Amino acid sequence: MSCTSHFLVSRSDFYHGRFLLVLSRQSLLRRAFSSVPRISRSLQESYRLLQLPNERDSSPAQVKEAYLRLAKLYHPDSGAPTADAALFARVEEAYRAVLAHQSKTKRPDEEKELEDESRGVAPQHRHYLSYEGVGSGTPSQRERHYRQFRVDRASEQVLNYRQREHERAAAAEGMLVERDMRQRSKKIKITQAVERLVEDLIQESMARGDFRNLSGAGKPLNKFEHNPYADPMTHNLNRILIDNGYQPPWVVTQRDIRETTAQIRNRLLEGRARLGDPMTPKERSQWEQLCASVEEELVKLNKMVDNYNLIVPMLKMQMVHFSSSREIDRAEKGARQHRLDQQRERERERERRKEEKKRANTVAKPINTKPGLMSWMRNLLR
């Protein structure tokens, strides 16, 4: 520095001004180079590992994006074929080093944002790895969350599918209804055309006088002779239903009850009639088994009676439950009566056969009058 001052003093003003200009330029360049911090080889390696350009062209968003991209590839829990725990540890270390370097080199207004990102404000990598970004916590917890998410999604898909099927079925049903309406309207048109034709024929016949000599001409029609107090509309509706084979549900249930009751009673009667009176132990066991099976059938029959009592229109038409003891007593009495009837029938058959045998013997024996006459004449001559 002393040499430089001596040189400035010893030179002229021209050289003095030129040298000051050169010296100021050198000082400015030195200051500029000193303001830019040099990065170490390890930091350069971190940029290279994150696949980033140099530090001047890399923004914090680019650094975070590069880190997330590499985490999806190398994280041990990602499930990717390129998963590598050691390489991911290096990537994470490089990411933190680059963040620390950028927090030192950026402007003061960006230092707070970088500090927040370095402290963990940035989303963790595990939210962007496997399980479609669902769940949080440890890998096992995230797996359970993901399974529940899949179950919920599957349930929602099933509901959507059912809704679509119902809509499709409703559309198809609507098409069927529309087709039925077209067919019904066509039948109605045909019926109306036939009715108009018949009415025209009737009017023509009346104009010709074909209905003047009828036996009931001028007399009222007795349409409701069977029940004069019935409503004509109700009568017509019932007649239409009967003509079309319609039966109310309580009528069908009543018929089923009658048929089932007849079957049970016939079964009991036939089973008791086949057994002796009195019964042997073996026959007694058979009779008890038959009664047990009949009791099960009577339980079902009583349920049918309950359903019938709920839908029958009149209270006086309701039925009571069937009792197994009453049915068994009825079967035993019927079996005794059946045996008496059979015995009487056998006696009648025996008497009938005797009468037929007598008549056959009387017809087969010839009437010999000649020997009797000869003996009488002999007795007379004596």
Side-chain angles (χ1 to χ4, degrees):
M1 191 71 183
S2 60
C3 295
T4 306
S5 301
H6 179 72
F7 179 76
L8 288 174
V9 172
S10 60
R11 293 293 181 182
S12 62
D13 295 337
F14 175 77
Y15 291 104
H16 179 264
R18 187 174 181 181
F19 182 77
L20 286 176
L21 181 60
V22 173
L23 185 61
S24 62
R25 288 179 179 178
Q26 291 179 356
S27 62
L28 289 174
L29 289 174
R30 190 180 300 110
R31 188 177 302 170
F33 282 112
S34 62
S35 63
V36 178
R38 296 182 180 180
I39 61 174
S40 61
R41 290 185 178 180
S42 61
L43 192 58
Q44 293 178 359
E45 182 67 19
S46 299
Y47 276 98
R48 185 189 64 79
L49 188 60
L50 293 175
Q51 300 178 3
L52 293 171
N54 54 15
E55 66 277 7
R56 296 181 180 178
D57 297 335
S58 299
S59 63
Q62 292 176 348
V63 173
K64 182 171 64 176
E65 183 179 359
Y67 170 66
L68 294 177
R69 184 179 66 254
L70 295 175
K72 292 179 182 180
L73 292 175
Y74 302 123
H75 196 278
D77 296 335
S78 63
T82 58
D84 189 350
L87 185 56
F88 174 73
R90 292 176 54 194
V91 168
E92 188 172 10
E93 184 178 358
Y95 171 66
R96 295 186 182 280
V98 170
L99 284 182
H101 173 68
Q102 288 187 349
S103 65
K104 295 178 182 178
T105 57
K106 293 299 179 181
R107 294 189 301 272
D109 56 349
E110 298 178 357
E111 289 181 358
K112 185 176 181 181
E113 181 180 357
L114 292 174
E115 286 180 0
D116 293 339
E117 292 181 356
S118 62
R119 290 178 183 177
V121 177
Q124 298 295 326
H125 58 273
R126 60 191 176 198
H127 295 286
Y128 299 93
L129 295 177
S130 58
Y131 309 125
E132 302 180 12
V134 176
S136 61
T138 62
S140 59
Q141 292 176 351
R142 287 188 286 114
E143 184 178 1
R144 286 196 298 269
H145 295 169
Y146 181 65
R147 287 179 181 175
Q148 185 64 35
F149 169 73
R150 291 184 62 186
V151 170
D152 297 339
R153 184 172 60 183
S155 302
E156 185 177 359
Q157 291 177 356
V158 168
L159 292 177
N160 293 334
Y161 174 77
R162 289 180 179 176
Q163 183 178 2
R164 290 195 301 271
E165 289 297 323
H166 287 316
E167 292 176 356
R168 189 180 298 109
E173 185 177 359
M175 295 176 62
L176 293 176
V177 170
E178 185 179 357
R179 186 182 64 184
D180 293 341
M181 289 295 294
R182 289 199 300 268
Q183 293 178 357
R184 192 177 296 109
S185 62
K186 185 177 180 180
K187 290 180 181 179
I188 291 173
K189 290 180 181 178
I190 294 173
T191 304
Q192 291 176 353
V194 172
E195 289 178 353
R196 287 196 299 269
L197 177 61
V198 171
E199 187 67 25
D200 293 341
L201 294 175
I202 291 173
Q203 294 295 331
E204 291 178 2
S205 299
M206 291 175 64
R208 290 195 302 267
D210 296 339
F211 299 140
R212 292 176 183 174
N213 298 325
L214 295 178
S215 59
K219 297 180 180 180
L221 296 176
N222 296 324
K223 296 176 63 177
F224 308 108
E225 292 180 352
H226 58 284
N227 188 2
Y229 302 104
D231 182 29
M233 182 63 68
T234 303
H235 173 74
N236 290 332
L237 291 176
N238 292 334
R239 181 175 56 80
I240 292 171
L241 292 175
I242 292 172
D243 294 341
N244 288 274
Y246 173 77
Q247 292 180 346
W250 65 271
V251 174
V252 178
T253 307
Q254 187 183 40
R255 182 195 61 192
D256 295 340
I257 291 173
R258 287 199 303 267
E259 293 177 354
T260 307
T261 305
Q263 292 176 1
I264 292 174
R265 289 175 176 174
N266 291 334
R267 184 181 173 189
L268 278 173
L269 181 60
E270 292 175 359
R272 185 64 184 87
R274 286 195 299 267
L275 304 176
D277 191 14
M279 294 183 290
T280 62
K282 184 178 180 180
E283 292 176 345
R284 174 65 65 180
S285 176
Q286 294 177 359
W287 176 244
E288 290 177 355
Q289 291 178 1
L290 180 60
C291 293
S293 63
V294 167
E295 286 181 0
E296 295 179 358
E297 295 180 2
L298 286 176
V299 171
K300 298 179 181 178
L301 181 61
N302 290 331
K303 291 182 180 179
M304 194 182 301
V305 170
D306 292 336
N307 296 332
Y308 167 78
N309 292 335
L310 291 174
I311 61 177
V312 68
M314 289 178 286
L315 187 64
K316 64 180 181 180
M317 298 181 65
Q318 291 188 346
M319 298 182 180
V320 296
H321 283 184
F322 292 90
S323 174
S324 59
S325 59
R326 288 199 303 267
E327 297 298 329
I328 291 172
D329 294 339
R330 182 191 181 112
E332 290 179 350
K333 292 179 182 178
R336 285 196 293 269
Q337 186 67 30
H338 182 66
R339 291 193 192 93
L340 292 176
D341 294 341
Q342 285 183 347
Q343 187 176 0
R344 292 194 191 98
E345 186 67 26
R346 284 195 297 268
E347 290 177 356
R348 284 198 218 89
E349 186 67 22
R350 194 179 298 113
E351 294 293 334
R352 188 178 59 80
R353 287 181 181 178
K354 286 182 180 180
E355 294 293 334
E356 288 179 357
K357 190 175 181 180
K358 266 185 195 180
R359 286 196 298 268
N361 291 334
T362 304
V363 173
K365 186 177 180 180
I367 301 175
N368 194 359
T369 58
K370 291 183 179 180
L373 181 60
M374 292 300 292
S375 62
W376 179 75
M377 291 179 66
R378 287 195 192 100
N379 292 329
L380 184 61
L381 290 174
R382 288 179 184 174

